[in-house]
Amino acid sequence: MGQATRHTTPFISVAEYLEGETLTDTRHEYFDGEVTAMAGASDWHETVGTNLTIDLGLHLEGKPCKVFKGDLKLRLKINLADVFFYPDLMIACDPTDNHKYFRERPTVLIEILSEDTRKDLMEKYLIDQTISSLQEYIVLGQDPAEPIAYVHRRSTGWKQEIVREGEILTIPSLEFSMPLLRTYRGLL
């Protein structure tokens, strides 16, 4: 009986990771020296994200907050480990949080639920609660047949609020609200 071969990947520094991300079209998440490629998104996922990006962008025009859709990294430190991942939408309002390739102090994070990401979202949710600037964490369903948003707010101790079809999605930290169904336009 032979021994199992252990496959290890070499440690990648933060600088190597950030440089590598500028040289490839594939996005990667980073956790303490390990890099993992990310899967692509579905049509529904992209439509929901784009619709919300447009509405938030228009609402925030002329304000210090900026909306980033999927291609700007969030950088965290967790127990001294460096972590980078790509939120589906990230709204950052701190003008001093201005690195070219990432943000560290977002106000709102929005993830769009898919079968591939369902398992990862709970882990990200627990991690994201450690971000002192974060005011809302929102998870949107991507299926237009079942419009839903799971909203977690710092002001409520991160208790989950569910917003359904016919209800209003509200983001108090951005003074933003809109009918949830508007997020699914083009899919209904």
Side-chain angles (χ1 to χ4, degrees), residues 14-187:
V14 168
E16 291 169 320
Y17 166 71
L18 291 172
E19 180 181 352
E21 287 297 278
T22 66
L23 303 174
T24 181
D25 291 334
T26 304
R27 297 178 310 159
H28 299 84
E29 294 186 338
Y30 178 94
F31 185 82
D32 198 26
E34 292 184 24
V35 175
T36 306
M38 295 178 59
S42 72
D43 176 349
W44 288 356
H45 186 282
E46 283 299 295
T47 301
V48 168
T50 298
N51 287 342
L52 195 51
T53 299
I54 290 167
D55 290 334
L56 283 167
L58 290 171
H59 173 74
L60 295 171
E61 191 172 332
K63 298 176 183 169
C65 299
K66 290 184 178 180
V67 181
F68 300 98
K69 184 187 172 294
D71 284 327
L72 190 74
K73 293 173 275 307
L74 172 61
R75 181 182 190 174
L76 304 170
K77 279 276 201 191
I78 302 170
N79 297 329
L80 302 178
D82 283 297
V83 177
F84 290 86
F85 66 89
Y86 291 88
D88 290 323
L89 278 83
M90 174 169 50
I91 298 88
C93 300
D94 181 344
T96 65
D97 186 15
N98 58 9
H99 191 276
K100 185 176 182 178
Y101 297 112
F102 59 83
R103 292 294 181 268
E104 297 177 292
R105 296 181 299 279
T107 301
V108 178
L109 293 175
I110 300 173
E111 296 289 352
I112 301 166
L113 192 60
S114 68
E115 290 306 315
D116 295 339
T117 61
R118 187 177 297 272
K119 162 179 83 112
D120 297 333
L121 289 179
M122 182 52 78
E123 181 179 298
K124 286 181 179 177
Y125 167 65
L126 295 171
I127 289 169
D128 291 344
Q129 287 184 45
T130 67
I131 303 169
S132 63
S133 63
L134 191 65
Q135 298 304 307
E136 283 101 7
Y137 178 80
I138 300 167
V139 177
L140 287 168
Q142 68 172 327
D143 185 346
E146 297 179 39
I148 193 162
Y150 303 94
V151 182
H152 305 87
R153 303 181 203 287
R154 179 176 298 281
S155 64
T156 64
W158 299 112
K159 291 180 184 169
Q160 179 173 275
E161 170 193 344
I162 298 176
V163 180
R164 298 182 193 279
E165 182 175 349
E167 297 178 345
I168 303 295
L169 174 63
T170 303
I171 307 174
S173 65
L174 304 177
E175 299 177 351
F176 175 82
S177 62
M178 65 175 238
L180 178 64
L181 279 183
R182 183 166 167 76
T183 306
Y184 297 89
R185 66 187 180 272
L187 296 175

